[in-house]
């Protein structure tokens, strides 16, 4: 079984899809919204759920769960979206994309799945170490 962590997990739909294959075990999730976190807990009662990705100690996660095979999630991406008409305003949520990248760098999973918008690809210059991640 592959071990997964789900960042920006919402109600757990992405986790559920992976779990339903029978090949993935969701060991930890993170979701800041308390209502979504509550729903996630009901949908995935055996998964540890944390609230703030900025405070996750990934060394501790690896110590408790061993190697993490896959990181999944969809960090907020309003600042990168074509629908964002306020280009002059930098979204504070863009920093959350960097938190997702931090998880990848620190956990070194075999693979990751990041749901986001196409404009993010053009903004990788703003994210530290994108080439180490093999992002295109």
């Amino acid at each position: 079984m592959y071990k997964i962590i789900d960042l920006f997990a919402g109600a757990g739909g992405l986790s559920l899809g992976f779990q339903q294959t029978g090949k993935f075990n969701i060991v930890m999730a993170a979701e800041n919204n308390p209502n979504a976190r509550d729903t996630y807990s009901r949908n995935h009662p055996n998964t540890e759920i944390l609230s703030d990705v900025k405070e996750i100690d990934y060394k501790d996660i690896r110590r408790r769960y061993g190697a993490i095979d896959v990181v999944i999630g969809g960090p907020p991406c309003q600042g990168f979206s074509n629908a964002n008409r306020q280009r002059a305003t930098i979204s504070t949520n863009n920093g959350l994309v960097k938190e997702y990248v931090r998880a990848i760098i620190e956990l070194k999973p075999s693979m990751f799945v990041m749901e986001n918008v196409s404009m993010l690809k053009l903004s990788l210059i703003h994210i530290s170490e994108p080439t180490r991640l093999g992002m295109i």
Side-chain angles (χ1 to χ4, degrees):
M1 252 250 197
Y2 296 103
K3 286 184 267 180
I4 289 186
I5 66 166
D6 185 356
L7 304 177
F8 311 97
L14 191 55
S15 287
L16 181 62
F18 276 87
Q19 195 172 40
Q20 285 178 334
T21 69
K23 296 179 182 180
F24 298 92
N25 179 27
I26 316 301
V27 296
M28 195 272 312
E31 174 52 53
N32 195 41
N33 180 295
N35 294 322
R37 199 168 50 246
D38 185 49
T39 302
Y40 190 100
S41 293
R42 290 171 192 245
N43 290 333
H44 302 278
N46 298 319
T47 301
E48 176 185 11
I49 185 159
L50 306 175
S51 61
D52 191 349
V53 296
K54 292 183 251 175
E55 294 179 7
I56 295 176
D57 178 351
Y58 293 109
K59 287 180 184 175
D60 181 55
I61 297 298
R62 283 202 342 241
R63 187 172 30 258
R64 290 188 291 135
Y65 295 108
I68 300 300
D69 302 299
V70 186
V71 174
I72 62 174
C77 54
Q78 294 90 341
F80 299 105
S81 174
N82 283 331
N84 183 2
R85 305 270 189 248
Q86 300 174 2
R87 295 254 182 244
T89 304
I90 297 174
S91 172
T92 57
N93 285 343
N94 290 354
L96 295 175
V97 172
K98 291 180 182 179
E99 287 297 322
Y100 188 90
V101 172
R102 179 176 73 89
I104 303 301
I105 290 170
E106 292 184 23
L107 289 170
K108 297 176 178 45
S110 301
M111 60 189 119
F112 68 93
V113 175
M114 180 175 161
E115 177 200 10
N116 216 289
V117 296
S118 63
M119 289 302 289
L120 176 62
K121 187 167 39 173
L122 300 175
S123 300
L124 286 177
I125 194 165
H126 302 291
I127 297 175
S128 64
E129 304 186 54
T131 54
R132 270 185 66 189
L133 302 177
M135 298 173 80
I136 58 171

